[in-house]
Every structure is written in C-alpha cells, then in structure tokens.
Amino acid sequence: MKITIIGTGYVGLVSGAVFADWGHNVVCLDVDKKKVDNINNGIMPIYEEGLEELVKKVSGEKRFIATTDYRSAVEHGELIFICVGTPSNQAGAANLDYVFSASESIGKYTPEDDYKVVITKSTVPVGTHNKVREHIKIGAGDKKIKFDVASNPEFLREGTSIYDANNTDRVVIGSDSEKALSVLEDLYKHLDSPIVKTDLASAELIKYAANSFLATKISFINEISQICERTGADVKSVALGMGLDQRIGSRFLNAGIGYGGSCFPKDVEALYRTSSEYFYDFRLLRGVMDANERQRDYFVDKVFRKYGSNLSELNFGVLGSAFKNGTDDTRKSVAIAVIRVLRGAGANIKLYDPAALENSKKELGDDNIEYMNSSEEVFDKSDSVFILTEWPEFANLDYKDLVEKMNSKVIFDGRNLLDPLEMKKLGVEYYGVGRKEDADDTH
Ligand code: UGA
C-alpha cells in the first residue's frame, strides 16, 4: 500500500518505519526541514531503541522517505495518517491546531479524482473526526474530492515503541465507512492481534479511556503506598498480592513519585474536560490527578522533614530525569519537577541519566546543576542520592562501594528500585515509597 504519515514525532516516525518494514511504501511528511534532512541521513530526532537501524534499513530498501513537500506527500498516500502533536493548551484541553492544519493541507493537495482514507492516529478528543472532515473540505475549496475519515489510536509506549507496534494487544479502527474499515483491516492483517472495528466516537474514546485507566491504576497503588506508610505494610508485597489476581494484573502497579510524560497527564486532563463539556463531572479522574500531584509533593516533603526547608548547604546526587526508563523524553517528567523543587530550595545537584541529559539541560539549564557522565560520579561527596527514574541499571549498581563515597549514606528511592533491608545492611538511611523499613517513621 502507499502510505503517507504526517508528523514525524514518536508515533509518526515509528509507525512509518514499521509500516515500511511490513512491505508498504511510506512517505513521512514534516514541516521541519532540518528534521526531515536528518531522518533521511539516518539521524533520528528522538532516542528510541532500534529506530535508527529500522529507518536506515527501510530507507535503503527504498520503501521509506521523509519530505517537507506536502503536495507530493499527499498525492502519494492512499492512506494518510495524521500523527501530529496534540499538546495541552493552557486550559488543559488538547490543542488541535496541528491536526486541523494537516487536514486542510490534505484537502488542498488531494487531486480531484483521487480517493483517500484519512486516519487520525494522534490522540484527539471524541468528536474530532467531524472537524477533521470539515477542515479537509475547507482545504479542498471548490474542488470535489473523495475521502473517508477513520480513527486508529496508537497504544505504543515510548522506549518500546517498535516492539509495541509489532506486538500490540489490539488494533482499534473506527469509521463510518465500510471501505475505510476494510482498507485498514487489510493493513493490520499483518499482525496476529485482534482488531476492534467500531464507530469513530468509540475509537476516539478508547484511547482516552485506556490511558486514564492505566493512570488510575498508578494513582491507586500510590494511594495504597500512603496507607502502607501509615500502617507498616509494604507496597511491593501488596502490589504483588493484588496483581496476581488475573482480573487486576500485575502491570502498572509500581508505586513511585507519580506518572508523567507526554501522554498520561495530558490525556487524563483532556478526558476530564471532555466529560465536563458534556455536563458530566468525572470525579474519579479528578481524584486520579490530585493523587498524582500529592504523591510527588509527599516525596519532596520527606526531604524537607529530614533537612528542613533550606537545602543550600547540601549536595544531592540524582539518578534519572527522563519521565520513565528507556527514553530520552523529559516532557512532564516528575523527576524534573522534583529536581526543580530541590534546586529551588538551594540544593546543589549532580545529575546523571543514561539517555535524557541533553533534554534535561534544555529544561533545567546550568544553575546549580552539574551533568555527570556516569551513575558512579553522582555518589561522590553527596549528602543524599535520589533515584527518580526507573532505569533498571540503577537497581544493579555496586551500592556497597558507592555509598562509601558519599558524605552521608542517605538514599531517597522515588521508584522503589532498591531493597530497603539490603540498604539497611550497608548502613544506608533509606527512604522509599510505601516501603516497610523506611527511615521516615513520622507516622
Ligand atoms: C502511555 C501508554 O502506556 C501507552 O499505551 C500509550 O500509547 C502512550 O501513553 C500514549 O498515549 O502515546 P508512555 O507515556 O510512553 O505510554 O509511558 P508509560 O510506560 O505508560 O509510563 C507513563 C508514566 O507512568 C511514567 O512516568 C512512568 O514512570 C509511570 N508509571 C508507569 C508508574 O509510575 N508506575 C507504573 O507502574 C507504570
């Protein structure tokens, strides 16, 4: 099939490369010329495991090219996927400007006698498809064009997105056109995954419902971690015991400093807003958002309880600034938020992250922060070390030696990567999230 992808962010670039790898002919469009040139030269705008190799492979096989030329890109695709960003606007709603301008360009450059299936992969609020249709027509002007719209939400996770795109639990396609549904079904036949065929509104809502449910699961276990701290229970044991019930499942039950990233915070808020717009007060989601903020504040409060509110004499080592492991992405990273608070209270920070240092520098600048080349350096003469991102390698450091390099052996583990008892044996004052044997016994 001839496929056009509009937008070369995580979703667009990964989907484009994966479709090309399935044997399709893919053109990826982006308005950013530098980005496009880089992609064509094998330099990826994002860090994603296996992406560079895959793009080089499919480009070499002449089945993948990036371009800034809208006309040729739109002419090329029988299927045109809109994969542009939908950042939150100031009021917390999804900003759809990029989606609508892409729709207008599709209308503008679709030749009169051609038929296109225009698919939104970007996460868009329920009802957006109607507006996409309208904007395509606006772009087409007086020209008569044939097209159908469809919704095909994306469920890939950053860090494992190529694997996810090839092994998704399900494919969701929504449309009011049988023809569009069957073209998309043909495309996804390549996978063994079940295909949910539905109407447009349901497809759009599935994405928000799924992300909000996962965020709810995280906030739920974070709330349980609070009860653990107050009752002497251990959140890891509780999560294990809960998660083995197959109706609950063990994934997304890791308590920590809260969820971040470019998806959950934005999508939970947007679903809450959508429900308000339809005069429904989705109170559970309000609670999910509140719990997420409180979880971060509570973690930081532990630091203030130990050191007081002025941290200016203190040197803190920080492991991790990405919003989760496996990515260089720091958007809405809770780790970054925590670092800002610590630095705001005067602490000197030494930061290491295996992938996100460059993005962290852009967000945090150089004031009171040194960027280190290894985990080990973070421990040198530190008064305290903070684990803020769940990179597995942080669990496997040689803590016995490393804590000896610290001014005082204090670890705040915001991701529960370490064993509190092991730390105790090493003489470490250990603060986790909802762990038994936590050094903070103010409850
Ligand atoms: C999320 C969804 O998992 C994907 O299915 C979806 O496609 C994607 O959003 C999207 O909408 O594009 P992603 O944001 O890449 O994927 O990351 P997750 O792995 O879901 O993690 C989100 C946040 O939750 C991270 O900050 C992570 O640290 C946190 N988290 C996750 C926890 O605090 N505890 C957990 O048990 C799991």
Side-chain angles (χ1 to χ4, degrees):
M1 287 177 190
K2 287 185 180 171
I3 295 176
T4 294
I5 307 271
I6 300 183
T8 58
Y10 276 95
V11 172
L13 193 51
V14 170
S15 306
V18 168
F19 289 152
D21 197 35
W22 294 355
H24 303 291
N25 213 316
V26 176
V27 171
C28 271
L29 177 122
D30 203 290
V31 288
D32 184 337
K33 178 154 184 349
K34 192 162 172 235
K35 209 167 161 189
V36 162
D37 288 344
N38 278 342
I39 293 169
N40 286 331
N41 289 320
I43 304 164
M44 297 302 108
I46 48 168
Y47 167 80
E48 189 66 31
E49 205 179 320
L51 182 62
E52 189 177 315
E53 295 76 6
L54 188 62
V55 168
K56 281 182 180 160
K57 174 178 171 255
V58 290
S59 304
E61 293 164 355
K62 304 262 175 283
R63 269 182 284 114
F64 178 98
I65 193 159
T67 181
T68 53
D69 180 15
Y70 242 114
R71 179 182 298 279
S72 66
V74 170
E75 282 175 359
H76 167 84
E78 305 156 77
L79 276 71
I80 304 181
F81 286 87
I82 300 178
C83 301
V84 295
T86 54
S88 291
N89 63 22
Q90 276 183 339
N95 176 348
L96 298 173
D97 291 354
Y98 299 133
V99 173
F100 295 150
S101 81
S103 308
E104 283 179 28
S105 300
I106 293 169
K108 183 171 171 193
Y109 295 118
T110 296
E112 189 138 23
D113 47 358
D114 239 354
Y115 167 73
K116 306 282 185 199
V117 181
V118 180
I119 307 119
T120 39
K121 243 191 195 308
S122 305
T123 302
V124 292
V126 185
T128 302
H129 55 268
N130 285 326
K131 296 181 191 156
V132 166
R133 219 190 301 265
E134 286 313 309
H135 281 273
I136 295 173
K137 283 183 188 156
I138 292 169
D142 294 336
K143 185 178 46 166
K144 286 202 172 45
I145 58 169
K146 289 178 269 175
F147 70 94
D148 283 311
V149 294
S151 164
N152 171 217
E154 186 52 68
F155 300 102
L156 53 82
R157 293 160 303 167
E158 289 184 18
T160 51
S161 56
I162 291 172
Y163 174 86
D164 289 350
N166 282 303
N167 298 277
T168 182
D169 290 341
R170 79 302 204 185
V171 172
V172 173
I173 46 183
S175 184
D176 50 11
S177 148
E178 280 304 322
K179 193 169 169 187
L181 286 173
S182 91
V183 174
L184 280 164
E185 201 175 15
D186 254 9
L187 172 68
Y188 284 110
K189 259 198 222 141
H190 183 87
L191 300 172
D192 291 331
S193 316
I195 298 179
V196 178
K197 283 199 287 178
T198 184
D199 57 90
L200 279 152
S202 302
E204 286 170 341
L205 187 55
I206 284 169
K207 171 71 189 202
Y208 281 99
N211 271 4
S212 297
F213 188 82
L214 291 169
T216 304
K217 218 174 160 186
I218 298 169
S219 275
F220 186 86
I221 198 67
N222 282 338
E223 294 278 70
I224 292 291
S225 78
Q226 297 294 333
I227 309 297
C228 289
E229 296 204 355
R230 286 158 178 79
T231 56
D234 188 279
V235 75
K236 283 231 171 189
S237 301
V238 176
L240 179 67
M242 284 170 64
L244 287 171
D245 183 331
Q246 288 186 18
R247 292 169 304 173
I248 297 174
S250 56
R251 293 164 77 186
F252 280 70
L253 280 184
N254 295 318
I257 49 178
Y259 60 78
S262 63
C263 304
F264 284 0
K266 163 175 82 69
D267 292 352
V268 176
E269 193 159 349
L271 181 55
Y272 182 73
R273 278 188 63 91
T274 299
S275 52
S276 305
E277 278 160 25
Y278 286 87
F279 305 104
Y280 182 71
D281 181 13
F282 200 152
R283 272 184 269 178
L284 179 61
L285 283 189
R286 182 76 264 154
V288 169
M289 293 187 277
D290 287 347
N292 197 49
E293 277 176 33
R294 197 165 53 189
Q295 194 70 6
R296 179 196 59 214
D297 295 346
Y298 184 76
F299 181 76
V300 172
D301 279 349
K302 277 191 182 181
V303 184
F304 291 132
R305 272 204 294 279
K306 175 169 171 57
Y307 292 110
S309 55
N310 183 352
L311 308 177
S312 56
E313 298 297 311
L314 295 162
N315 295 314
F316 287 165
V318 175
L319 293 171
S321 52
F323 85 93
K324 66 170 194 180
N325 66 298
T327 177
D328 66 347
D329 196 346
T330 52
R331 285 174 292 172
K332 289 263 158 104
S333 165
V334 186
I336 295 276
V338 170
I339 294 169
R340 280 190 206 281
V341 177
L342 299 178
R343 182 176 63 170
N348 300 305
I349 309 275
K350 275 191 284 187
L351 169 66
Y352 173 70
D353 187 285
L357 283 186
E358 216 170 290
N359 284 334
S360 305
K361 253 184 225 174
K362 282 185 206 147
E363 293 221 27
L364 295 164
D366 289 321
D367 279 357
N368 278 17
I369 297 204
E370 263 185 277
Y371 297 91
M372 314 312 283
N373 295 317
S374 70
S375 299
E376 284 73 18
E377 287 171 303
V378 152
F379 287 79
D380 267 342
K381 299 195 178 53
S382 277
D383 294 297
S384 207
V385 164
F386 291 74
I387 302 176
L388 299 183
T389 304
E390 62 272 45
W391 288 97
E393 66 185 77
F394 296 157
N396 301 318
L397 301 174
D398 182 0
Y399 282 91
K400 189 163 177 284
D401 280 355
L402 289 174
V403 295
E404 294 302 330
K405 299 179 174 180
M406 298 176 71
N407 278 349
S408 52
K409 298 178 187 173
V410 182
I411 295 183
F412 285 87
D413 180 0
R415 297 295 186 168
N416 286 346
L417 288 190
L418 307 181
D419 179 350
L421 284 176
E422 287 295 316
M423 290 298 122
K424 213 174 181 178
K425 276 191 214 149
L426 299 180
V428 172
E429 194 176 315
Y430 174 84
Y431 298 87
V433 178
R435 303 306 308 272
K436 210 178 169 78
E437 307 295 343
D438 195 285
D440 185 72
D441 55 2
T442 47
H443 302 293

